[in-house]
Every structure is written in structure tokens, then in C-alpha cells.
Amino acid sequence: SRLTSIPQAAPLGLPRAVGVHLASASAALLQRVGSGVLVVVGFQLAEGFPRLAHRLVTGLDVPSIFGRRLLLADTLADFWREWNLPVQRLLSNSVYKPAVVGHRVPPLVGRGLCFLVSGLGHTWPLCCARAAPSDLARMMGFFVLQLPLLALEERLRLRGRAYVYGVLLLASPLF
């Protein structure tokens, strides 16, 4: 028997062309989400191996730039408190404290200013490399998105590692 070419329906009864587009869009999204996971794991490994080598060669331990409870964070606020401690201290001393203590800005606004400055710091190298405006907007969007997420977390008392890493994974395509 001879098979004829019949346009097949994609899952959910969609035309094949739409199904192919959805599949490629889903693959692109999964690739970006996967890259978000790799950022967290990659930073841990990229920092951990040189620290281990240094300890083996010299017998001295180099302090981590990440807090000890990073992977155990139950809230986004806890996660960001443990992420990149030197930059966190810099932003705290140069942005947060002057705004909140010096100018009596609400703490949530102070956190938002820190994320804004961090976003600018992350987009600047992309800007210098002449990245597309959409890439700059997406990168900045990741940092700006953290403020409403932190506000919701605080208001709704959201907790749990699954919540924290779920939110970070869903937001990671922006990064």
C-alpha cells in the first residue's frame, strides 16, 4: 500500500505548521531555561574548582563569593542575600543604605534601586558589544522583574525551595 501525504494535525488538534512553530518556540524556551539552570550551577562549579585547586596546592581556603545557604534558600530574598556577596555588599553600601537610611526611602524601593543598578551593570557589557536592543531589554527585564516578585513574596508569604528555583527558572529566559 502506498502512503499519501496528508497534512497531519499537531498535538491539541492544531495544524501541523502551527505545531512545528510551537515545538521550535518551546525548544527555544527550554534552551533559555536550561541556560538559567546552568548559570546557577555553572557559577557554583566555576568558583568551586579553582577554590579546591588553590586549597590543594597552597593549603589555604579562599572564601566563596556565594553564601553558604544559597542552594537552601526558601525565599527569593534569601537567595539574593546569598548570591554574589561582594557585589551585594557594594550595592548595599553604595545604593541601598544611602537611599533607605540617608533619604528614608522605603526598603522595597531601596531593593528595587539595587536591582536597577545591577541590571545596568549587566546590560552595559552587552551594550558595549552592540547587542540588539531586545537583548538589552530582556536582560534589564530580568532585574526589574525581581522587585514585584519580592513584593509578592513578602505580601503572600511565599516560601519553599521549589518556589524559589521555579521562579528563577521561569524568569531565566530573560537573563
Side-chain angles (χ1 to χ4, degrees):
S1 81
R2 189 172 182 190
L3 296 176
T4 57
S5 177
I6 300 172
Q8 296 178 353
L12 305 174
L14 297 170
R16 182 165 168 60
V18 172
V20 168
H21 178 70
L22 286 176
S24 65
S26 298
L29 179 62
L30 285 174
Q31 184 179 11
R32 285 193 174 274
V33 168
S35 68
V37 171
L38 289 176
V39 166
V40 173
V41 173
F43 272 117
Q44 291 285 318
L45 293 174
E47 187 219 22
F49 286 135
R51 288 181 62 228
L52 177 61
H54 187 270
R55 185 179 318 135
L56 291 173
V57 171
T58 67
L60 301 173
D61 191 23
V62 177
S64 173
I65 66 166
F66 300 108
R68 292 176 190 221
R69 299 189 39 82
L70 176 69
L71 298 177
L72 302 175
D74 283 337
T75 64
L76 284 173
D78 290 343
F79 178 87
W80 289 120
R81 257 188 231 93
E82 299 289 320
W83 184 262
N84 201 342
L85 298 176
V87 172
Q88 183 199 101
R89 278 186 220 106
L90 174 72
L91 290 171
S92 177
N93 291 329
S94 62
V95 177
Y96 184 81
K97 287 177 184 173
V100 173
V101 176
H103 296 287
R104 296 192 175 119
V105 169
L108 191 61
V109 175
R111 282 190 232 145
L113 290 171
C114 288
F115 279 110
L116 181 66
V117 170
S118 184
L120 290 170
H122 280 79
T123 55
W124 177 250
L126 295 177
C127 191
C128 292
R130 299 178 187 218
S134 61
D135 292 335
L136 299 174
R138 196 172 52 237
M139 176 69 78
M140 194 63 167
F142 175 83
F143 290 93
V144 171
L145 178 65
Q146 299 308 311
L147 184 61
L149 290 174
L150 287 168
L152 278 172
E153 173 181 280
E154 191 174 299
R155 184 165 185 91
L156 300 176
R157 301 189 198 299
L158 300 172
R159 299 226 172 305
R161 272 181 249 149
Y163 152 73
V164 170
Y165 289 98
V167 167
L168 291 172
L169 286 174
L170 290 173
S172 68
L174 294 173
F175 193 81

